[in-house]
Amino acid sequence: MEHDPLAQLLHLLKQKLTITEKQFWELSNDEGHSAEQEITLAKELMMLERHIQLIEQTIKLKNQDKTLQFAFPMKYAMNLIQNPNIIEEYKEFNVIDVSEEFEKININTITEEQVKGYLIMKFDDTASQKSDAWEDDLGEVVEVDNQELEALEKEVDQQEEKIIEEEEQIIKQQPELVEQIEDNHIDPTWKIDESKAQLKIHNKVICTFAQNPIAKDMIASGSEDDQFKIIKLSTQKIIFEKKYDETVGLVDFSYDGKYVAAGILTGKIYIYLLNDMSEKVLDGSQTEPSVLKWHPKGNVLLAGFQDSTLWMWNGVNGEVMSVFAGHEAEITCGGFTLDGKLVLSGSADQSFRIWKPNTSEQIVKISSVAHKHNYHKDDVVCFVQHHKQPIISTGSSDSTIAFINFEDGKVIGKTEPLGDSIVELCFIGTNQPIIVAGDISGSIYIYNWNSMKLIEKLCLCKNAITKILFYNQQFHISSLDGKIVTFDVRQMHNYRILQAKSGIYEMIVEEGWILVGCENGFVYVY
């Protein structure tokens, strides 16, 4: 095998990173240590991580472009890492995937704010797990020889200088190569399995966020830090924020993008008109809300509460339009049908109900008793409506999925128990009778609701599934262990997994990118 000093250097740096992380852990547990010592070691960790990322990206670039020799990508990478002007220049050429990645790992800029963010992101809430992981890693790691490390770095530098000299000779003989390198050296469609952007939005868990359906670079988020924020993604700026007296658990934009609503754990519901951010506080249940949904075709807002009621308001003037009462336990899921003609709700009373919006009349009640035990025997946790047929699927804590015709109120069928509590459901966006479900343990189920047979069970995540979306012929699935699983249902074994740095609570998928809101308060863009 050919001697590759760059790969050897990468291996040694990763060993050194593991050892330095253990040193940081031991320091942080020493009561006599100072903040200055902690920041110094954290900076060293950041430098090591950035150096590793630089070498990994260089190797990727080297392997990607087989027509050029080693130093072209290396030279490109080193120039990017050292010269912010080149980063801006390549942004103008739309080479976002590469330019943003190298900008993110720029070795020359580490601010105190970055160090603090790094410490929170890397060590908060996961210290014990990290400690165990470092102990496990160190069972296989030997102490790094710094002289060997320095020798390899020197060898890489010498190799780079030698090949750059050779390439400069090639360019003198073939000047047309310069234009090729500058304009099209990196394919703009090249994707890397790491976030393109990391935005620190909140100081605690991001419980919820939503995308403006009209101005799609605008998102609203709510957090356990009691703050509601509106962010413009194109500028990465917070354009509005407000702090309340309790967790902001729910947010949603109106269909026309003119209004945004926020639900607070105290029971208060707020509506904001986006053009002037004027605020309305709605009269309602005053118990914890679990559902907050705008009407798909009008400025009407629906909320479900812990006291078993649902309320509907005129979103323009804030007046109550209807109150839906009949459930015997808290509302767990709810919303409007896709055409907006009916209100739907599921509850911890093990029933799913359908209502007339204008009169608040209950027209269908689906339960195990009413349907001769052909329905869930535990809480109804989630539901999804088919995009074409009058079919609703519900998931339950009893680990079953049921299928309902909401026009006649009949239960079409129910699965056998699949594993654990079903918390997410998504129909395939085609005419195929396929639904994908996720449970609280992280299992993913692909089910044929026509034949009522399980097609596949995927055990790719180790914690609860938090979102399942179908977009552009692919399923996108997020989980509380920070995974994003993407696959085409026709090739379910050909899946791609991205790993966020924290558990994912919310996800939005658009053409060309995935946005996730995480437990550590960050929003990551992939």
Side-chain angles (χ1 to χ4, degrees), residues 235-249:
T235 60
Q236 300 184 12
K237 300 293 184 184
I238 296 169
I239 57 177
F240 176 80
E241 58 185 310
K242 182 168 180 178
K243 186 171 176 63
Y244 302 97
D245 55 357
E246 191 42 282
T247 295
V248 182

Side-chain angles (χ1 to χ4, degrees), residues 398-411:
D398 67 4
S399 83
T400 64
I401 306 169
F403 300 90
I404 304 161
N405 184 319
F406 64 82
E407 288 185 340
D408 59 18
K410 292 182 178 178
V411 177

Side-chain angles (χ1 to χ4, degrees), residues 202-357:
H202 292 281
N203 295 320
K204 291 185 179 179
V205 174
I206 296 178
C207 303
T208 176
F209 65 41
Q211 180 184 28
N212 189 312
I214 307 302
K216 293 195 172 185
D217 72 335
M218 179 187 293
I219 62 168
S221 64
S223 168
E224 286 185 359
D225 64 8
D226 305 345
Q227 295 200 58
F228 166 65
K229 297 186 180 184
I230 299 176
I231 304 99
K232 193 171 179 64
L233 293 174
S234 57
T235 60
Q236 300 184 12
K237 300 293 184 184
I238 296 169
I239 57 177
F240 176 80
E241 58 185 310
K242 182 168 180 178
K243 186 171 176 63
Y244 302 97
D245 55 357
E246 191 42 282
T247 295
V248 182
L250 301 162
V251 296
D252 197 29
F253 283 98
S254 61
Y255 82 104
D256 57 6
K258 294 180 179 179
Y259 296 89
V260 64
I264 317 303
L265 259 59
T266 57
K268 290 183 180 178
I269 306 293
Y270 296 84
I271 293 178
Y272 295 92
L273 178 61
L274 289 173
N275 66 2
D276 62 4
M277 294 312 297
S278 56
E279 178 187 273
K280 288 185 177 66
V281 185
L282 304 181
D283 291 327
S285 158
Q286 302 304 312
T287 61
E288 182 179 332
S290 52
V291 172
L292 189 67
K293 297 288 183 184
W294 286 92
H295 192 280
K297 298 180 180 179
N299 287 320
V300 172
L301 184 66
L302 178 75
F305 293 91
Q306 200 170 42
D307 69 355
S308 80
T309 63
L310 295 103
W311 291 61
M312 191 172 74
W313 298 270
N314 181 319
V316 178
N317 58 30
E319 293 181 359
V320 177
M321 296 175 66
S322 293
V323 178
F324 306 88
H327 279 294
E328 298 165 12
E330 66 180 286
I331 304 298
T332 52
C333 56
F336 295 95
T337 52
L338 297 178
D339 60 10
K341 294 180 179 179
L342 299 170
V343 169
L344 311 169
S345 62
S347 169
D349 66 6
Q350 304 175 18
S351 75
F352 189 81
R353 308 192 189 205
I354 303 173
W355 316 77
K356 288 184 178 179

Side-chain angles (χ1 to χ4, degrees), residues 57-58 61-63 65-80 90 102 159-161 163-172 174 176-182 185-186:
Q57 296 305 328
T58 301
L61 296 177
K62 168 189 170 183
N63 293 336
D65 195 341
K66 302 297 184 183
T67 65
L68 299 174
Q69 293 187 49
F70 165 70
F72 272 110
M74 186 66 171
K75 183 177 181 181
Y76 175 86
M78 293 306 293
N79 282 338
L80 268 178
Y90 274 84
F102 280 111
Q159 184 177 350
E160 182 198 1
E161 289 173 6
I163 301 177
I164 287 175
E165 287 175 4
E166 293 174 357
E167 290 168 348
E168 286 174 350
Q169 292 299 318
I170 294 172
I171 290 173
K172 285 179 182 179
Q174 303 177 61
E176 67 274 9
L177 280 178
V178 176
E179 186 176 347
Q180 176 191 345
I181 293 166
E182 290 178 351
H185 180 65
I186 302 300

